[in-house]
C-alpha cells in the first residue's frame, strides 16, 4: 500500500512544512490563513525558493476559497498606481481537465462571474482564471525574479469555454507577485491575438497581493 504525506518536519522547525506542490494544492481546499502564516515561518529555515513559491500559491488559492465563503475581495496593487485593485470572488469552481470546463459552462455554472482553479498540480500557463461576461482573466502567481509565459495553455482554456457556446471576446493576463518581491516577465510564447491580447511581455500586467487578515 502507498502512503502519501502532505507535510514534513525539518530539523529545528516547530511546525510542519508542505512537502510538494501537489500537497499544496490539496491543502488549499482545506486550510485557513493561519496555516499559511505558519508555512511562511519556515522560509528562514529551509531557504528553498521552490517551496516558497508553493506557499505563495497556497496563500492565493486559499484566499480565493475563503473569499467565496466570506464575500471579501482579493486586494492587490500595481506599481505606480495609488488606487487598490479589487478582484471579487462570486464563485469558484475546480476542474480536472478542460472537458470539465466545457461541461461547467454548458450547465451555466460559469455565468455571472466565476473563478476557475485547475486541480492539476503542474498546470502550465496559469494558476487560476476568472471569467466574467466575455472577458477571461488568466492569473499566474510567482515568487521567481523572472517568470515566462506559455500562452497556448490559456488559449486552450478559452477554447474550452467557447466550446460550450459562451463567447470570450477579450483575454487579460496577470502576474501576481508577493509584497516587495522584484519580478519581471520573461519569454512569452503562444498567441492570444484572437482575443485582443498583445503577446508581448509588456502586455502582461504585474500586480502585488496585499496582506490579508491571517486570523481567517
Amino acid at each position: 500500500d502507498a502512503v502519501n504525506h502532505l507535510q514534513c518536519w525539518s530539523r529545528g522547525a516547530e511546525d510542519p512544512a508542505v512537502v510538494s506542490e501537489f500537497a499544496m494544492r490539496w491543502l488549499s481546499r482545506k486550510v485557513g490563513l493561519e496555516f499559511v502564516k505558519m508555512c511562511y515561518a519556515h522560509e528562514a529555515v529551509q531557504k528553498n525558493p521552490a517551496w516558497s513559491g508553493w506557499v505563495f500559491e497556497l496563500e492565493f488559492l486559499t484566499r480565493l476559497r475563503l473569499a467565496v465563503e466570506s464575500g471579501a475581495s482579493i486586494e492587490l496593487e500595481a506599481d505606480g498606481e495609488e488606487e487598490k485593485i479589487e478582484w471579487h470572488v462570486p464563485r469558484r469552481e475546480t476542474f480536472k481537465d478542460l472537458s470539465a470546463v466545457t461541461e461547467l459552462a454548458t450547465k451555466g455554472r460559469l455565468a455571472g462571474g466565476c473563478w476557475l482553479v485547475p486541480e492539476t498540480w503542474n498546470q502550465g500557463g496559469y494558476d487560476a482564471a476568472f471569467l466574467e461576461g466575455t472577458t477571461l482573466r488568466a492569473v499566474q502567481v510567482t515568487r521567481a525574479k523572472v517568470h515566462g509565459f506559455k500562452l497556448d495553455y490559456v488559449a486552450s482554456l478559452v477554447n474550452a469555454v467557447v466550446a460550450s457556446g459562451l463567447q470570450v471576446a477579450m483575454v487579460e493576463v496577470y502576474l501576481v507577485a508577493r509584497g516587495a518581491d522584484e519580478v519581471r516577465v520573461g519569454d512569452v510564447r503562444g498567441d492570444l491575438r484572437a482575443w485582443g491580447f498583445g503577446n508581448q511581455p509588456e502586455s502582461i500586467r504585474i500586480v502585488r497581493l496585499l496582506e490579508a487578515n491571517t486570523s481567517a
Side-chain angles (χ1 to χ4, degrees), residues 60 63-76 85-92 110-116 129-133 135 137 139:
F60 183 80
R63 286 173 64 171
L64 273 185
R65 192 194 86 240
L66 295 176
V68 175
E69 299 170 4
S70 67
S73 297
I74 304 294
E75 292 191 343
L76 310 100
I85 301 166
E86 289 193 2
W87 287 349
H88 63 288
V89 191
R91 289 202 319 286
R92 167 186 166 276
L110 305 187
C114 183
W115 282 88
L116 291 163
F130 181 60
L131 179 67
E132 184 173 37
T135 298
R137 176 197 305 144
V139 175

Side-chain angles (χ1 to χ4, degrees), residues 14 17 29 40 46 48 109 122 131 144 148 151 156 159 161-162 185 201 212:
E14 296 182 359
R29 309 173 197 171
Y40 275 127
Q46 298 199 6
N48 184 329
R109 291 173 60 179
N122 59 347
L131 179 67
L151 300 179
S156 296
N159 287 327
V161 173
V162 171
V185 178

Side-chain angles (χ1 to χ4, degrees), residues 36 47 76 103 108 110 118 124 129 136 146-148 163 169-170 172 182-183 188 194 198 203 207:
V36 175
K47 296 182 179 179
L76 310 100
E103 183 177 356
L110 305 187
L136 185 136
V146 181
H147 193 97
M170 180 178 295
E172 302 171 344
E182 293 185 6
V183 61
V188 178
S203 302
V207 294

Side-chain angles (χ1 to χ4, degrees), residues 65-183:
R65 192 194 86 240
L66 295 176
V68 175
E69 299 170 4
S70 67
S73 297
I74 304 294
E75 292 191 343
L76 310 100
E77 63 182 6
D79 292 346
E81 297 183 14
E82 294 184 2
E83 192 170 341
K84 292 180 182 178
I85 301 166
E86 289 193 2
W87 287 349
H88 63 288
V89 191
R91 289 202 319 286
R92 167 186 166 276
E93 296 280 357
T94 62
F95 64 93
K96 292 183 178 180
D97 53 42
L98 293 177
S99 64
V101 173
T102 303
E103 183 177 356
L104 286 168
T106 301
K107 292 180 177 180
R109 291 173 60 179
L110 305 187
C114 183
W115 282 88
L116 291 163
V117 179
E119 295 180 8
T120 307
W121 68 269
N122 59 347
Q123 170 65 51
Y126 56 93
D127 293 310
F130 181 60
L131 179 67
E132 184 173 37
T134 60
T135 298
L136 185 136
R137 176 197 305 144
V139 175
Q140 181 82 60
V141 302
T142 187
R143 298 210 68 185
K145 292 183 178 180
V146 181
H147 193 97
F149 276 83
K150 298 178 180 179
L151 300 179
D152 287 341
Y153 288 103
V154 180
S156 296
L157 177 62
V158 174
N159 287 327
V161 173
V162 171
S164 72
L166 295 181
Q167 291 187 341
V168 176
M170 180 178 295
V171 170
E172 302 171 344
V173 181
Y174 283 79
L175 183 61
V176 178
R178 182 175 188 256
D181 286 358
E182 293 185 6
V183 61

